[in-house]
Amino acid sequence: MDKWDKRRSEILTLLCREEYGFIPSTLTSLRFELVAEDKQFCAGKVTLSKVLAAGQLGDRSFSFPFYTSIPNGKQKYPFFVFINFKDAIPDAYFPVEEICDNGFAVLSFCYQDVTSDDNDFTNGLAGVIFGGSERKADECGKIAMWSWAASRVMDYAETLSSLDLTKAVVVGHSRLGKAALLTGALDPRFACTISNESGCSGAAVSRGKTGEKIKDICNRFPHWFCANYSKYMDKEHDLPFDQHFLVAAAAPRLAYVASAKKDTWADPDSEYLSCVAASEVYGKLGLAGFVHPDRLPEVGDVFHEGDIGYHLRDGLHYLSREDWLYFIRFLKRKFQV
Ligand code: GTR
């Protein structure tokens, strides 16, 4: 385990330096303020609260809101930290009542409340970090910032007695699935990391990948990554890692990769191969890792036996109710709740 701790930290350095960028360590703590509370949410089964996280670096300050949806029972709940596209609750990506009915709480935020999804590094968290100055080649892109915010929401979770802190799960879809993977890799407080259709520069291995390539993503979304990442456009084979490093960085904790058959831009086969490759680390730690048949995935495959959960559903790029129910099924089995 000591050897893996050392290797894991080398892997994290590599991923930050070459792909997502480093967040300055001077930005560590935020203040939290409860701004609204509804104890009657979901027919009185859930308390929905709105919290403001506020931080400062020198004379620059910023804040972002997030929400907690916690069942009104007496036990301590396992919970999701959900990085979402919107702040509406419920939302098309977010069946909150059903999640809570299954005995889970959810803490969620809208990624663009942290900083905008574009090349503007002067607003929100980006503005606080850079204060108008140029980003260095290994300094954080937006994915790293959204991921950092998820860890701050986890800081708040640690102040709540209604949550089971040993059963924290970070989840996101697509670009926010990439952010969820990075969060789980960097923050060992998460017992499970869930990537839904995170594809290129998320769960999918880059070598041999079809659909979106590093070149496509760096041309369209350079702000998601650190500037160093663009070195690998059309040069996947020069990468000193591949994306299974990101999945494996969760080890020995749980990871989950979900894919959709018609999401060819993400490339389900490359997401699956990442789980296969990441499994080696679990194996070396004496764990089951990814338990799967010796073939490529088929629609309807659900592999929940090992430490890496997986499913491939039919349909398009989307975080569906079906995906949430598979996550919940896996977590109930692993957390024994
Ligand atoms: C696409 C992007 C993908 C994926 C997706 C999303 O346009 O190329 O990597 O992350 O956006 O976030 O919806």
Side-chain angles (χ1 to χ4, degrees):
M1 197 63 180
D2 283 357
K3 256 174 135 181
W4 171 234
D5 283 343
K6 185 166 172 282
R7 181 62 186 137
R8 187 173 156 270
S9 97
E10 288 166 2
I11 284 172
L12 293 175
T13 303
L14 209 53
L15 288 165
C16 289
R17 197 184 68 217
E18 301 297 317
E19 186 168 12
Y20 304 104
F22 293 102
I23 290 266
S25 55
T26 36
L27 242 179
T28 47
S29 62
L30 297 182
R31 295 184 314 280
F32 299 107
E33 188 193 336
L34 180 64
V35 289
E37 191 177 63
D38 174 9
K39 292 190 170 153
Q40 307 299 323
F41 189 55
C42 297
K45 292 180 288 187
V46 175
T47 296
L48 172 65
S49 306
K50 181 174 182 178
V51 181
L52 201 66
Q56 192 123 9
L57 186 63
D59 59 357
R60 302 192 288 270
S61 58
F62 94 114
S63 65
F64 70 96
F66 61 93
Y67 298 86
T68 69
S69 305
I70 304 176
N72 283 331
K74 293 225 172 344
Q75 70 266 42
K76 285 182 181 289
Y77 293 96
F79 61 101
F80 295 96
V81 171
F82 176 38
I83 317 173
N84 198 7
F85 285 91
K86 305 225 174 87
D87 83 339
I89 299 175
D91 165 64
Y93 285 134
F94 186 12
V96 64
E97 181 173 359
E98 195 162 15
I99 296 169
C100 289
D101 283 348
N102 270 286
F104 288 78
V106 202
L107 286 66
S108 59
F109 64 96
C110 168
Y111 78 131
Q112 298 223 49
D113 284 339
V114 175
T115 183
S116 65
D117 188 358
D118 56 24
N119 219 3
D120 177 357
F121 280 76
T122 62
N123 69 79
L125 178 57
V128 167
I129 294 174
F130 296 106
S133 63
E134 189 110 336
R135 259 195 321 149
K136 296 196 191 83
D138 66 355
E139 285 186 318
C140 54
K142 299 278 172 105
I143 287 174
M145 292 184 219
W146 301 321
S147 155
W148 183 88
S151 282
R152 303 296 66 81
V153 171
M154 182 66 196
D155 294 345
Y156 181 74
E158 289 187 314
T159 69
L160 299 178
S161 57
S162 48
L163 301 178
D164 182 344
L165 297 173
T166 67
K167 299 184 176 69
V169 181
V170 59
V171 56
H173 167 63
S174 203
R175 67 200 69 184
L176 305 178
K178 309 182 211 298
L181 283 168
L182 184 62
T183 310
L186 292 170
D187 190 338
R189 294 174 297 176
F190 288 101
C192 182
T193 304
I194 301 181
S195 139
N196 198 72
E197 299 156 30
S198 60
C200 180
S201 311
V205 283
S206 299
R207 286 170 178 79
K209 185 183 181 307
T210 58
E212 187 173 35
K213 307 269 176 54
I214 295 178
K215 186 179 178 183
D216 301 304
I217 210 166
C218 285
N219 279 331
R220 288 175 66 207
F221 306 107
H223 59 280
W224 286 355
F225 306 98
C226 68
N228 273 338
Y229 195 44
S230 59
K231 290 190 296 198
Y232 303 104
M233 296 204 274
D234 277 335
K235 295 207 172 94
E236 277 79 3
H237 287 277
D238 289 354
L239 281 166
F241 60 90
D242 210 323
Q243 292 305 123
H244 62 294
F245 279 40
L246 183 65
V247 177
R253 293 164 291 128
L254 302 167
Y256 196 110
V257 171
S259 298
K261 183 68 186 172
K262 298 197 176 90
D263 188 8
T264 50
W265 193 234
D267 183 5
D269 284 354
S270 293
E271 293 181 322
Y272 178 87
L273 291 175
S274 194
C275 299
V276 175
S279 187
E280 199 183 320
V281 168
Y282 288 87
K284 287 198 167 137
L285 295 171
L287 297 165
F290 186 37
V291 179
H292 63 95
D294 189 15
R295 58 161 171 79
L296 284 171
E298 292 163 7
V299 166
D301 278 343
V302 179
F303 304 133
H304 282 181
E305 221 179 296
D307 309 279
I308 303 178
Y310 175 88
H311 71 257
L312 176 64
R313 64 158 172 79
D314 206 357
L316 298 166
H317 189 66
Y318 185 65
L319 173 51
S320 71
R321 174 176 174 268
E322 190 182 346
D323 296 312
W324 279 104
L325 294 179
Y326 282 133
F327 304 152
I328 286 169
R329 202 206 285 176
F330 175 74
L331 292 167
K332 282 186 171 175
R333 175 172 176 169
K334 295 294 162 184
F335 289 163
Q336 302 192 325
V337 291

